[in-house]
Amino acid sequence: MKTATLMLVAALAVAPATAAGDAGPTAGADIDPAVTRLVAELRQSVDASPESAAAHADLAIAYEANALWQQAREAYAEALRLDPGNPDWRLHHAIALRQSGDFAASVAELERLIELAPDHAPGLQRLGSAQLENGDTTAARATFMRLIQLDHQLAEGHAGLGDALLREGDPPLAIRQLEAALSLDNTYASAHYLLGQAYRAAGRLDDARRHLAFGQDATPRFLPDALSERLASYAVNLTARLDQASAQLSRRQPDRAIATLQSVRSDHPENVTVLNNLAIAHMHRGDMASARSELDRALAINPDKFSTYLNLAALSQRMNQPVEALRWSDEAVARAPGVARVHVNRAGALLRLGRLDQAIESFEAALAADFREQEPYLALANLELRRDNAEASAGYSSRSLELWPDLVPAHFLQFHARLELSDLEQARSALDAATLLAPDHPNLGELERLYREAVEGSE
Amino acid sequence: MKLAARVRNVAAAGALIAVAAGAQTIRFEDVAASSGLDFVHQRAISTTLWFPEIMSGGGGWLDYDGDGDLDAYLVQGGQLDPAAARGAGDRLFRNDGGSFSDVTEVALGARAEYGMGLAVGDYDADGDPDVYVTNVGPNVLLRNNGDGTFTDATEQAQVGHPGWGTSAAFIDYDGDGRLDLFVVNYIHWSPHNEIECFTGGRRRDYCHPSNYNAPAADVLYRNRGDGTFEDTTVSSGLAAFFGNGLGVAVADFDQDGRPDLYVANDGMPNQLWMNRGGRFVNEALIAGCAVNRSGAAEAGMGVVAADLDGDTTTDLFMTHLRDETNTLYLNRGGWFEDVTAARGLGGPSIGRTGFGAGAADFDHDGRLDLVVVNGKVGRGETTVEGADPFAEPNQLYRGSSDGGFTLVPSAFVEPPGTSRAAALGDYDGDGDADVLVVDNGGPARLMRNDYAGGTWLRVTALDRHGAPMAGVELDATTLSSSQRRRTERASSYCASHEPAVHFGLEGEASVNALTAHWPGGPRQRWLSLPADRAIVIYR
C-alpha cells in the first residue's frame, strides 16, 4: 500500500486585482517578505540607474513572477519606454496587461510586438490565441500559418490553425492540422480535445469520444520565451517556493526541498502548511524524528488542521505503527470527512491491521467523498478479487476506466475479473487495450498465458 | 386530463412607468433605496479568510402573498464563526405596487443560518410558492401557509442537507406532477479543513476550490406527495459524477418532454444530466459542454439555459473567473458548440469574474439579451484604503440581429459592487424585465429597466393548483418572428427568477399565435393576443 503524502498548497487560480495608482509593494503592505526583499534589491538598481531599461525590466520580471500584475505592467511599460525594441519585454507587457484586466490593450500590444518582430514565435502564438478569443478567426488563421511557416515542428502552430479552421466550419482541414499537432506531441491535451470536436463535427463519433476524453483536463500552454527561465528564478513568494519544494521532492531531492522549506519557514514561522510540507520532506529523507518534531509544532500552533493528522498518520505508517496510524487517521476523518484522502489513509492503516472489511468501507467512503480519487478504485477492484467477488471487482475497474481510459492497472484488473467471470470476450478486450497502451509491460506474457489456459479450459 | 384553457387579462395596455422620450438604449437604475428594498448583505471577513465569506449572496422573486406582484426574498450571510453572533438573517420584502415593505418578522420570524441561495416552488401543491434556502450548513424548507406566513418544514420534509449548498431547483423529474428538489453542493468545508492560500506575492487570500480537493456531491430529493421527500441521488444516477457545484439550470435540452439538468462546477468539468425517464446520464463530455472548446475546465459560477440563437433549442451561457471568458454553448441538436468568441462574448468578459446571469429581451426587439453581474473572489493587488477590493462593474450584452452580442457600455447606473445573485423579474409590472442584484457585503440593488420602446407580452402559466408552473415551453409567433421561451425559475447563481415568460415583440401590435407545450405532452394554442399585456394561462 502506497503511503499517502500531502502537499497542500497548490498554485492558486485566484486572479489578482487591478490597483490604480499603486506605487508598488512595500514591507508591511500585505506582501510576502521574500517578495519585498527581492523587489527592494531590484529597486536599488533602478534607483541607481533610472535610465536603464534592463533594470526596469528586471523589476518587472520580479513583479510578474510573483503575480503583482499591476506593478509588472507599469515596470514593463517603463522598460519599453526606454527601449521600445525588446520583443520579450513587449510580450510580457501584453501578458501583464491581460492579467490586470485590460484584454483589449493586451491584444494591441501583441499586434505591435508582431509588427516589430514578425518572427517572434511565442508572440505569434499568444496573438493567435487572443485573436481566437476575440472571434477574429481570419486573423488567427493567418497568425498561426505564419507560426507554422516559421517552424513547422511546433505543435502549437498546427493546433492553433486547427482551432481556427474548426471555428470557420471546416472539420476536414481542421482534422488534418490537429492530427499533425498530435503527431508532433501526443501529450497535447488541448489538441486532443479540439480533434475530438472536429471528429464529432465530421460524424466520427467513436474517435470523437476517445479524443474528447483524452483532452478534457487540458490547461492552456504557451511556448517558452527568453524570459521564462528568469521568471522561474524570481518566483520567491510562498506559493512558488512551496511548489519548488514539491518539484524537488518529485525529483527525489529531499535535501534541497528541506533547504527550500527551511528558508520559507524563516519568513513564515507560524505557517502550518509550511511545517507540514517540511515534515513530508523529512519523511522523504528518512528523518522521522525531525518530521515528527515539525508536525508536533504544527499541532501546537493549530490543533484543528486535518492535514497535520493526515501527515502524522502517514508518518506512523512509515514507522510501521499501524495502530498509531489508525488513531491519527481517525482524527483526520473526524475533522475532514469530506476529503477523500483521509479515508484512503485510514483504509491503508486498516489493511496493515488486516481489517479488510473496514478497509473496504473506508475506500468506499473515499469514493463517496470524491469519485476522482484513482487509488480507491484500484484497491477495491483488487480487494474484491481477493474476496472472490469478481463481479464487484469488474465494476470498480470499469468505473475507473470510464474516468481514465488509459489506466493500464485498471485494464489488468478488468482482465482478471472477467477471467474469473468466464467472460472471455471482455477479458480479451481488456488485455488488448492494455497491450495497446503498454506493449512492453512485463506482465503481458503471463496474462496471455492465463488467457490461453482459460480458452483451452472452456473448449 | 381535461384542460381548462383560459386567458386572463391582468394589465392594461401601455407601459406603466413614464420614461423620457427617445431613451433607446438599455439602462438600469438602482431604485432599491427609493422603493424600500432595504437589505444589506453582511460579509464578516475573518482574519483567516474562510472561503464561504466571499461566495455568499443569494435571493430572488416570488409572489408569496398571491396578490399578483413580485415580492423579494434575500438570503443573508453574516458570521461563520459559531462563537460570534450570527447575523441579521434572511429578509422578505412585500411588493406594494412597486414599493417594498419588510415583512420578515411576521412572515419568516428570526432566521440565523449562513445563507447562500434560493429556490422557489409549490412543493405541497396548495397553490402558493414555498421556499428552499441553501446554506453553509443545513438547508431550510419554508412552507408557505397561505396566510402571509411560512413554517419551517425542513425536518418533516427531510431535506435539510447539512453541506454547503449553493443553487437549487424544484423540478418534476419523474413526471408524477409533484415538484422534486435538486440541490447543488459546492465543497466539503468546515473551519477544520480551511487552508491558507496566497495570491502570488500577497500574504493571504481566499482559496480556489481546487485547493481543498473536496468536491461535494449534489443531491436529488423525490417528492413523495405527503409532505416528505426521499433522497434518490444514488438511484437516479446522479451520484456518479459531481464537482465543485455552484450553478444549475433546468431545461429540456433534447426536447423529449423530460426536464434535464445542467450543473456548473467551479474548476471542474460540468455535468449535463439527461433525464432518461427518472434516471440521469451525464452526457456533458460527448455533448461538448463539460469543458471549454480548448478542453479546459473553467470556473463555472452562474448558468443560463435559453434559446439564445432563436432556433428553438436550448443553449447554455455560463459565467466564469477573470482570465477566463464567459462561455456560450449553442445547442446543435445533440451536442453543443462553444461559440463564445464568434458571438462577441469573449474579450469583454476576460477581465471580470462573473457570477449571476440571466437572459431576457430587455429592449423588446425579439432577441434575448444577457445580463452578467460580477465581483472578484480574491483580494489580489487592490490596496486602496476603504475600497471594496472585490468590486467589479456589472455588464449587459445586447443580442444583435446577426446572432452576436454587444456589450452595452454604462447600462448599469451604479457604483461597482461584489455582485453574486442576479434574479430577473418585472417587479413594477411595466412589461420589461428588471434585475434584482444581491451583492456580497453590500446593499441589494433593484435595477429598474427604463427602456421605453417596443411592445411586449408577458405570460404566466399556472398549474391546476393555481401555482406558476415550471417547464412550460411557450412559442409566440408574430408577423415578423417566432420565439420560444420556457418558464423556469432556476438558473443564474443562487437565485430564483420570476416564473413568467416575457416576449419582446419589436413593436408588433399583437401575437398571432401563442402555443403552450405543457409538461407531459398536452398543447394549447391561443390566437390574436394583443401586445402590451400580462396574461395568465391555465393548464
Side-chain angles (χ1 to χ4, degrees), chain A residues 87-264:
Chain A
D88 299 314
W89 300 346
R90 198 167 292 282
L91 171 67
H92 284 267
H93 185 223
I95 293 169
L97 285 166
R98 178 194 172 106
Q99 291 290 341
S100 55
D102 197 341
F103 179 66
S106 173
V107 176
E109 186 67 327
L110 289 168
E111 287 168 346
R112 176 96 179 109
L113 162 64
I114 298 306
E115 275 171 30
L116 296 169
D119 293 344
H120 196 278
L124 282 168
Q125 193 209 358
R126 293 260 183 189
L127 176 61
S129 301
Q131 287 164 333
L132 285 177
E133 286 177 308
N134 244 351
D136 191 352
T137 52
T138 307
R141 182 157 41 85
T143 303
F144 284 117
M145 283 176 75
R146 197 189 302 175
L147 181 58
I148 293 169
Q149 282 164 1
L150 204 63
D151 183 351
H152 68 279
Q153 294 293 313
L154 287 176
E156 288 82 357
H158 294 283
L161 181 55
D163 192 357
L165 290 164
L166 188 59
R167 289 174 197 245
E168 289 181 337
D170 195 343
L173 277 184
I175 287 170
R176 196 184 301 172
Q177 289 301 324
L178 293 163
E179 286 178 341
L182 289 172
S183 73
L184 292 165
D185 181 358
N186 194 41
T187 67
Y188 197 165
S190 268
H192 276 292
Y193 195 80
L194 287 163
L195 184 56
Q197 292 171 78
Y199 280 146
R200 187 181 54 201
R204 294 168 58 178
L205 290 187
D206 286 341
D207 290 332
R209 200 179 297 271
R210 192 157 44 87
H211 284 279
L212 291 170
F214 275 129
Q216 71 166 323
D217 286 329
T219 50
R221 78 176 207 188
F222 295 101
L223 292 167
D225 59 75
L227 302 190
S228 301
E229 213 167 296
R230 193 127 47 105
L231 277 165
S233 71
Y234 278 5
V236 295
N237 64 75
L238 174 59
T239 305
R241 286 195 290 168
L242 286 174
D243 286 346
Q244 191 185 340
S246 178
Q248 287 161 338
L249 282 182
S250 301
R251 293 195 299 267
R252 299 175 188 279
Q253 297 170 331
D255 289 335
R256 285 190 173 198
I258 288 168
T260 302
L261 290 164
Q262 282 172 337
S263 141
V264 180

Side-chain angles (χ1 to χ4, degrees), chain A residues 12 16 32 66 71 305 399, chain B residues 194 198 201 240 293 322 381:
Chain A
L12 297 182
D32 190 300
N66 294 289
Q71 289 91 344
K305 283 283 174 201
R399 180 97 172 83
Chain B
E194 185 54 272
F198 304 85
R293 70 173 294 124
R322 77 187 337 222
E381 294 170 69

Side-chain angles (χ1 to χ4, degrees), chain A residues 8-20 22 29-33 35 66-71 98-101 103 132-135 163 166-167 190 193-194 197 200-201 205 208-209 212-213 215-220 237-239 268 270-273 304-306 335-336 338-340 367-373 399 402-403, chain B residues 188 190-208 210-217 239-244 268-269 271 284-297 321-325 335-338 340-342 344-348 350-352 376-384 389:
Chain A
L8 259 182
V9 173
L12 297 182
V14 180
T18 56
D22 188 0
D30 208 20
I31 302 296
D32 190 300
V35 178
N66 294 289
L68 293 162
W69 295 108
Q70 181 65 28
Q71 289 91 344
R98 178 194 172 106
Q99 291 290 341
S100 55
F103 179 66
L132 285 177
E133 286 177 308
N134 244 351
D163 192 357
L166 188 59
R167 289 174 197 245
S190 268
Y193 195 80
L194 287 163
Q197 292 171 78
R200 187 181 54 201
L205 290 187
R209 200 179 297 271
L212 291 170
Q216 71 166 323
D217 286 329
T219 50
N237 64 75
L238 174 59
T239 305
H268 304 274
E270 300 289 302
N271 188 307
V272 172
T273 304
D304 279 329
K305 283 283 174 201
F306 85 97
R335 284 167 177 78
V339 177
L367 287 187
D370 186 354
F371 70 92
R372 301 165 307 156
E373 277 286 327
R399 180 97 172 83
E402 282 174 24
L403 296 166
Chain B
H188 294 284
S190 79
H192 298 311
N193 72 334
E194 185 54 272
I195 52 180
E196 297 155 314
C197 294
F198 304 85
T199 299
R202 294 191 71 80
R203 272 193 195 282
R204 190 76 193 261
D205 213 331
Y206 287 106
C207 296
H208 186 274
S210 62
N211 295 124
Y212 300 87
N213 199 21
F241 293 94
F242 52 90
N244 309 314
M268 292 178 68
Q271 278 91 44
L285 178 63
I286 190 65
C289 56
V291 291
N292 72 8
R293 70 173 294 124
S294 300
L321 199 64
R322 77 187 337 222
D323 198 36
E324 300 171 344
T325 65
W335 54 280
F336 291 83
E337 182 181 7
D338 175 351
T340 308
L345 292 164
I350 283 178
R352 302 275 178 266
K376 289 192 277 268
V377 290
R379 294 193 298 170
E381 294 170 69
T382 301
T383 54
V384 181

